[in-house]
Amino acid sequence: VSPQFTVDEPGAVEGLLFFDKDEDNVFDPSDGDYALSGVQLQIRVRGATDVLAGGNVTSDASGRFAVSNLPAGTHDAFVNAASLPAGVVLCSNPLPITVEPGVTRFYAFQTRGGCLVLISVAEAQPLGTVVVVRGIVTAAPGTIRSGYTYIQDASGGIRIFASSLEGQGIAVGDRIEVSGTLAAFNQDLQITSPTLRARDPAFGSVAPTALTTAAVAAAGDAKNALVGTLVRITTAQVAGYGTGSNAINATVNDGSGATQVRIERGLAATDAAAQALMGVGKCYNVTGALGTFNGTAQVFPRTVADIVEVPCT
């Protein structure tokens, strides 16, 4: 039996586009949030690029938009990313909206300064890009040297450079989420001016990757997936030292080829103290973060406990 009538009454949507500075999903100008004007938005057929009649709108000076006479059902609200201000991103686009017959529904679309990505994805961005990453801490803030923190996820590791993370109780094994600017220091990638977004204490541990000294030396390119990760070399004999203003570099070799172990002044205040940690002609197992200095790979021990003397045989 055919239905006696059908419901074809249209519905409407209204919305607000805003920058969510504190990322609490609530529009509150007292928290630094602000409305986004001049943003172009389309109401599209779900899963398609077809725009519904009257579905092209632009947010006004208050960040508001309104679309009426929409067919009932679930549609897509697509934001033209090119119309967003510089440094502002929408992490999910398009967003689903539901239109009900005879009803006006309200939607708030919050934008951010960056979207959470894997470390390897962040490292592939142009320098100066604001990135958001999350990883397990492998070197706690300030242990290698002031301003240095290392984190690692399933895709790789990276250094976070800022003293602002020190004194917050962040420890090895914590998982932290930070936003900051991708930068390079002597060709080694790092995240600068970070903001700590979240911290999960004692989240887990990262096992160091066992490498030969030759494999370490071959990983000097900042784009190498090993750079920034926790590594371990074994039975590496110290051949000699080269000094720097803030550290001393030990040349070591496990028989496969030479590489460097960089002993920062936080571990040894003087060259003599560093050479007492790793004596020339002696052999060591060394754990540390893998970094690069203008293409030369270096292992950064985090604490004295990362340097263990072993027989050379």
Side-chain angles (χ1 to χ4, degrees):
V1 177
S2 299
Q4 295 181 349
F5 62 90
T6 59
V7 177
D8 56 3
E9 184 180 4
V13 295
E14 294 180 354
L16 167 68
L17 285 149
F18 70 98
F19 180 75
D20 190 9
K21 184 177 181 180
D22 60 353
E23 299 184 6
D24 63 353
N25 299 324
V26 176
F27 179 58
D28 185 353
S30 67
D31 290 334
D33 300 347
Y34 57 87
L36 299 175
S37 62
V39 177
Q40 300 165 2
L41 182 142
Q42 295 178 334
I43 308 301
R44 295 178 170 182
V45 175
R46 187 177 184 183
T49 59
D50 301 319
V51 182
L52 297 173
N56 283 299
V57 291
T58 301
S59 61
D60 63 17
S62 299
R64 302 277 181 162
F65 68 90
V67 185
S68 56
N69 295 316
L70 291 171
T74 302
H75 311 299
D76 285 340
F78 177 80
V79 173
N80 178 5
S83 66
L84 292 170
V88 173
V89 295
L90 189 67
C91 295
S92 296
N93 192 26
L95 292 165
I97 60 171
T98 298
V99 176
E100 300 178 45
V103 175
T104 299
R105 296 194 65 176
F106 179 83
Y107 290 91
F109 300 94
Q110 60 267 24
T111 62
R112 301 181 175 187
C115 305
L116 179 65
V117 296
L118 292 172
I119 290 174
S120 62
V121 174
E123 291 177 324
Q125 304 308 306
L127 296 181
T129 301
V130 174
V131 296
V132 181
V133 295
R134 181 170 61 200
I136 296 175
V137 176
T138 54
T143 54
I144 291 177
R145 63 177 290 182
S146 178
Y148 276 31
T149 304
Y150 279 87
I151 65 171
Q152 189 169 331
D153 66 12
S155 71
I158 194 167
R159 180 173 65 228
I160 303 169
F161 180 69
S163 59
S164 60
L165 296 184
E166 298 172 22
Q168 298 196 48
I170 298 171
V172 171
D174 292 355
R175 185 176 71 171
I176 62 173
E177 182 176 308
V178 298
S179 62
T181 303
L182 186 69
F185 176 71
N186 292 318
Q187 300 181 21
D188 198 350
L189 294 176
Q190 59 186 14
I191 294 174
T192 60
S193 303
T195 298
L196 181 63
R197 295 158 54 105
R199 175 188 170 217
D200 300 315
F203 183 83
S205 60
V206 174
T209 300
L211 296 176
T212 64
T213 51
V216 170
D221 185 345
K223 295 292 186 179
N224 190 293
L226 290 169
V227 172
T229 67
L230 191 66
V231 302
R232 176 176 292 153
I233 54 177
T234 57
T235 321
Q237 187 173 39
V238 179
Y241 281 92
T243 59
S245 58
N246 296 311
I248 184 169
N249 300 328
T251 300
V252 300
N253 195 332
D254 62 3
S256 64
T259 194
Q260 289 185 357
V261 171
R262 184 171 177 85
I263 304 174
E264 291 286 342
R265 294 305 188 201
L267 270 67
T270 65
D271 291 356
Q275 292 180 39
L277 283 176
M278 298 184 66
V280 174
K282 297 181 178 179
C283 294
Y284 298 87
N285 295 343
V286 182
T287 302
L290 180 57
T292 180
F293 182 81
N294 291 326
T296 298
Q298 298 175 323
V299 177
F300 288 76
R302 301 161 297 175
T303 66
V304 173
D306 280 338
I307 301 171
V308 180
E309 185 177 357
V310 295
C312 287
T313 53

